[in-house]
Amino acid sequence: MQNIRNIAIIAHVDHGKTTLVDKIIHASKIFRENQQFEDLILDNNDLERERGITILSKNVSVRYKDIKINIIDTPGHADFGGEVERVLKMADGVLLLVDAFEGPMPQTRFVLSKALALGLTPIVVVNKVDKPNCRPDEVHEAVFDLMFNLDATEEQLDFVTMYGSAKNNWMGPDWKEETDSILPLLDTIIEHIPAPQIQEGSTQMQITSLDFSNFVGRIAIGRLKRGTLKENTQIALCKADGSIKKMRIKELHVFEGLGKNKVEEVHAGDICAVTGIEGFEIGDTIADAENPEPLPRIAIDEPTMNMLFTINNSPFFGKEGKFVTSRHLRDRLFKEMEKNLALRVEPTDNEDKFLVYGRGILHLSVLIETMRREGYELQVGQPQVIYKDIDGIKNEPIESLVVDVPETTSGKVIELATQRKGELLVMEPRGDLQHLEFRIPSRGLIGLRNNVLTATQGEAIMNHRYVDYEPFKGPIPGRINGSLISMESGPTTGYAIDKLQDRGTFFVDPGEEIYGGQVIGEHSRDNDIVVNVQKGKKLTNMRASGSDDNTKIPPAKKFSLEEAMEYIQKDEYLEITPKSMRMRKIYLDEGERTRMAKKDA
């Protein structure tokens, strides 16, 4: 077992984690010389490539100097913390990657605290030292301070630091002296990351992630803690409720390069995939059939936000999606819960509606985007934070918000955050940027990113992470403007939109098919109004002098999925189909809306 190293790579978003893994893969010659491949090898689903973020953790292994290094690529966003918490159980050490200019960021702190608590050995990699304005030595100090604040042990504080540029394919102990390859980093991993500690006793393996194959069904992945596993032998599956089921292993695979190799037996310390086991969940233990001993289950942080998911019942339902019924929606959400540990789904008293709990807007929006690409049609309600009653006092989730912004617009950011009950803790210059840190309620963050980017001409860099529950901070002002609502169904006309421009901003273009009750724009005042955008110009054979000029309409305002989720109000739904995204009132009929508003009041 001395020739195995298990290492997880953790970093903040955009600090170069997946690029570093690419270079390690190339350095270990997994590909043939003439083989074609793309960059960001591990970000292999479309959503990850489009957004440039890692969403799912993945395993690869490389061989270097006859030692097998199992590498686990982890997400950087706190919203996908459920992924990180379970996969760190497979590692003996972590590569902490930090940007040579930005230094440790809020979400680095989140993942690092989990790794240190598990007693993993850290190696710090200061990346992007080729950037202008970089400050590697200050960043090294900041990482030490962060580890000290996170109660690292003396051994962990005595960490090794490597400097380099993953993009330019070099790493070394001194940032001023460029080396010719990334191999010094692999030497450091072999030297400083301990080989797996093997305990005596019967077989134990915790299932920390799962895979799916159309041929063999669900595959359990985890690290064998002790003992050996052999194919075609009997094991015991220890489940969450304490029950133990006897099962037989069909096949065993270990990770080799970017794929898996079938083996007859796996020894303690290696990461493997097991097929043939039915009905398992993440956190279950595969144990010895005669003497089963379950491992303690993985503790996952609680979700902080929920949203109502319901079937699409708009006038346009079923036109674009394949899966539109409540049974389809229910099955898909419960299937997602099997592998997405931080997600919870609760049925409501209406069989068409489900409450879905997640870590944040991004966590929920990735699920929605994945579903729409699979052909689902659904509607979601306004995101709500989850309140807790602690000692009879209403508590709400609080987050740490970090904004780096040009000095000229920092005042606007402070104003926007404090309006939403944010409390300014730190304000310091960093290069040509102002570094601001706030404590702010989670509900204050809903819709804040859009406002901050508008106020700073898109130059602000915002990051936040969940901290704790604290007593309720009081009401926060929501969206100031009302909605423009369509009166009738049918295609919009440029003539009508042109005549209504002084009413507000439109989200639809001329000629777009819409329905009565759809939100088609933002009113310039704080109340909702119903408008007719189907009205055409009355045509006569008389020409009116001066009034037949061409209409000039500004382009419609378009929203991304997250922006639309943050924009909608309590009485609105977001309708999502594979091709379209529309905002609408829950009650499409104006008379019914008025009745329900009176009832709620």
Side-chain angles (χ1 to χ4, degrees), residues 223-289:
R223 173 179 156 183
L224 187 57
K225 193 162 184 195
R226 57 187 206 198
T228 53
L229 286 177
K230 295 183 181 175
E231 68 174 3
N232 214 11
T233 54
Q234 202 172 40
I235 51 98
L237 182 69
C238 309
K239 297 189 67 63
D241 56 7
S243 63
I244 293 173
K245 293 182 179 173
K246 294 282 173 75
M247 295 193 184
R248 188 169 289 278
I249 295 174
K250 277 190 190 156
E251 289 184 358
L252 286 170
H253 294 85
V254 293
F255 291 89
E256 199 66 57
L258 297 174
K260 301 189 191 91
N261 277 0
K262 185 170 177 293
V263 290
E264 288 184 7
E265 68 176 22
V266 176
H267 299 283
D270 209 349
I271 295 171
C272 66
V274 182
T275 63
I277 299 173
E278 298 290 321
F280 65 83
E281 291 169 12
I282 289 174
D284 291 354
T285 304
I286 293 175
D288 185 65

Side-chain angles (χ1 to χ4, degrees), residues 514-533:
I514 60 171
Y515 52 80
Q518 185 177 330
V519 174
I520 54 169
E522 179 174 88
H523 190 197
S524 52
R525 300 195 180 164
D526 60 358
N527 60 323
D528 295 350
I529 62 164
V530 178
V531 293
N532 181 350
V533 283

Side-chain angles (χ1 to χ4, degrees), residues 100 124-127 129-130 134 136-137 140 160-165 170-181 184-185 188:
V124 175
V125 179
V126 179
N127 193 22
V129 297
D130 53 327
C134 71
D137 296 329
H140 178 261
V160 182
T161 307
M162 298 294 281
Y163 301 89
S165 165
W170 71 272
M171 285 284 157
D174 184 353
W175 65 276
K176 296 182 185 109
E177 290 180 26
E178 188 170 329
T179 62
D180 56 357
S181 76
L185 177 63
T188 309

Side-chain angles (χ1 to χ4, degrees), residues 302-315:
E302 291 288 303
T304 56
M305 200 164 272
N306 67 18
M307 282 179 86
L308 187 72
F309 279 51
T310 175
I311 57 166
N312 186 10
N313 59 3
S314 83

Side-chain angles (χ1 to χ4, degrees), residues 104 108-109 112 141-151:
T108 319
R109 181 189 185 105
L112 183 62
E141 293 291 316
V143 172
F144 183 88
D145 293 344
L146 175 63
M147 288 208 193
F148 184 78
N149 293 338
L150 292 175
D151 298 329

